Amino acid sequence: MRTIAATITTAASLLFLTVPASHAQASAYPNKPIRIIVAYAAGQGTDVATRLLGEQLSRELGQPIVVENKAGAGGILGTELAAQAAGDGYTLTMGTNATHVLNQFLYAKMPFDPEKDFEPIAMVGTFPMVLATGASTPYRTVGDVLDTVKRTPGSADIAMPSTSARLVVEFLKDRSGAPLFGIPYKGSGSAMTDVLGGQLSVTIDTPLALRPHLAAGKLRALGVTSAIASPLVPGVKPVAEQGYAGFEFVAWNALYAPKGTPAEITRVLNAAVNKVLAKPDVRQRLLDLGFEPAGGSAAYLGVFARKERERWAPIIKTAGIRAD
């Protein structure tokens, strides 16, 4: 009869054999080019930031990084492709708050589970949305707009060039009780034209989209949606500091791997991303591109994204926001 001691000895021997193999896999990684799928068009903010990160990661990891654009369906197409890839560390994706949080509540059907089908690697960058108004309006704060709308509904309609902008409007309505009315646009260009032309008095957009108009004095920033002031829009108070404590919305980019990617490999990637994001020149370049450099552990990213889903699901449901 086989004794317990013999069984333990055999198991220990097998563990001794398998552990080095696992470490060997990590130590050999990477030994060929790595692909990062971007679920958006070339030249868009996520794409540009990914190419910067890829260039820097290539130097750290000693292998080429190939960025592949697979745009479509609000980021679902490219993210689905990444979810179907082998979990070997050679296909990654640059996720966003849309692909890995919001889309599952905006679309009736999703071909992947943003939590169960991916391994988090690291947060790369974040940015707030900005409430801005035309330079000729009397508004100086977010409260000015909300008070005006409460007194005269429809007097300060808001241009919404993105789903993120719409969520900010709904969140503001929820927190302030103001009867805000948002006008949806397909992009920043057309929304900006109407606000600059005086057809609408307020817009909500990214710091990067608003930056040239703020610098030229054509628009005035009223507030940022991050919990604290953002270096992307210096001198502008958060909405949370203007009488709406707890108000926060940030968009973000983060690196993910397909489910099943070994922990040893995700640790190698996390360390490399954090090393890159610690470089002063990379941090400045990301700020120039409209992102606040992030970083942190894979566990942090996983918990953060989960809390974001719990937070935005009821708001999207209550507002009846749909993307399809």
Side-chain angles (χ1 to χ4, degrees):
M1 177 180 289
R2 187 178 182 84
T3 65
I4 293 177
T7 302
I8 293 174
T9 301
T10 302
S13 299
L14 290 173
L15 182 62
F16 179 77
L17 291 173
T18 57
V19 169
S22 177
H23 283 290
Q25 182 182 30
S27 63
Y29 175 85
N31 56 23
K32 62 181 181 179
I34 298 169
R35 175 177 64 154
I36 303 179
I37 296 175
V38 173
Y40 300 96
Q44 191 257 15
T46 296
D47 171 70
V48 177
T50 304
R51 292 179 187 278
L52 172 64
L53 181 70
E55 176 185 324
Q56 295 294 322
L57 284 178
S58 178
R59 297 174 184 174
E60 291 297 325
L61 298 172
Q63 291 292 336
I65 304 286
V66 179
V67 175
E68 184 177 328
N69 298 93
K70 292 291 182 181
I76 291 176
L77 183 63
T79 310
E80 179 185 13
L81 183 64
Q84 295 171 344
D88 58 7
Y90 292 99
T91 296
L92 310 173
T93 187
M94 183 63 80
T96 68
N97 54 304
T99 62
H100 282 74
V101 171
L102 303 178
N103 281 351
Q104 70 181 105
F105 309 116
L106 296 171
Y107 290 85
K109 294 182 179 180
M110 286 280 286
F112 59 88
D113 186 308
E115 182 170 12
K116 295 179 180 178
D117 292 338
F118 290 93
E119 305 287 353
I121 295 174
M123 185 76 81
V124 174
T126 67
F127 59 90
M129 301 298 286
V130 184
L131 283 80
T133 186
S136 62
T137 74
Y139 308 128
R140 293 295 186 274
T141 68
V142 173
D144 290 343
V145 175
L146 298 176
D147 291 343
T148 299
V149 172
K150 287 178 180 179
R151 291 194 304 269
T152 311
S155 58
D157 293 342
I158 300 175
M160 305 184 302
S162 66
T163 299
S164 292
R166 184 171 180 183
L167 288 175
V168 172
V169 169
E170 294 298 335
F171 198 17
L172 273 175
K173 287 169 64 176
D174 179 72
R175 295 302 302 273
S176 69
L180 296 173
F181 187 75
I183 308 295
Y185 286 81
K186 291 185 177 180
S188 297
S190 53
M192 206 71 70
T193 297
D194 283 356
V195 174
L196 292 173
Q199 283 77 25
L200 294 177
S201 54
V202 181
T203 188
I204 298 174
D205 214 328
T206 67
L208 188 62
L210 294 171
R211 186 177 290 166
H213 306 290
L214 294 172
K218 296 179 180 179
L219 293 179
R220 181 167 54 251
L222 303 175
V224 294
T225 62
S226 48
I228 60 175
S230 170
L232 298 172
V233 197
V236 179
K237 284 187 176 182
V239 176
E241 294 181 7
Q242 298 185 46
Y244 301 94
F247 189 98
E248 182 180 12
F249 176 93
V250 292
W252 47 270
N253 281 10
L255 201 62
Y256 285 88
K259 190 68 177 179
T261 301
E264 293 86 355
I265 288 177
T266 61
R267 280 195 288 268
V268 169
L269 289 166
N270 176 270
V273 170
N274 278 287
K275 187 174 181 180
V276 164
L277 293 177
K279 297 179 178 180
D281 59 329
V282 174
R283 297 180 68 82
Q284 184 57 54
R285 182 63 180 138
L286 281 171
L287 288 169
D288 293 341
L289 294 173
F291 295 88
E292 293 185 43
S297 70
Y300 165 76
L301 173 57
V303 171
F304 175 84
R306 190 176 306 119
K307 289 182 177 179
E308 285 281 276
R309 295 183 194 104
E310 294 170 356
R311 183 183 189 194
W312 292 108
I315 293 176
I316 292 171
K317 183 178 180 180
T318 300
I321 304 173
R322 304 299 299 178
D324 55 354

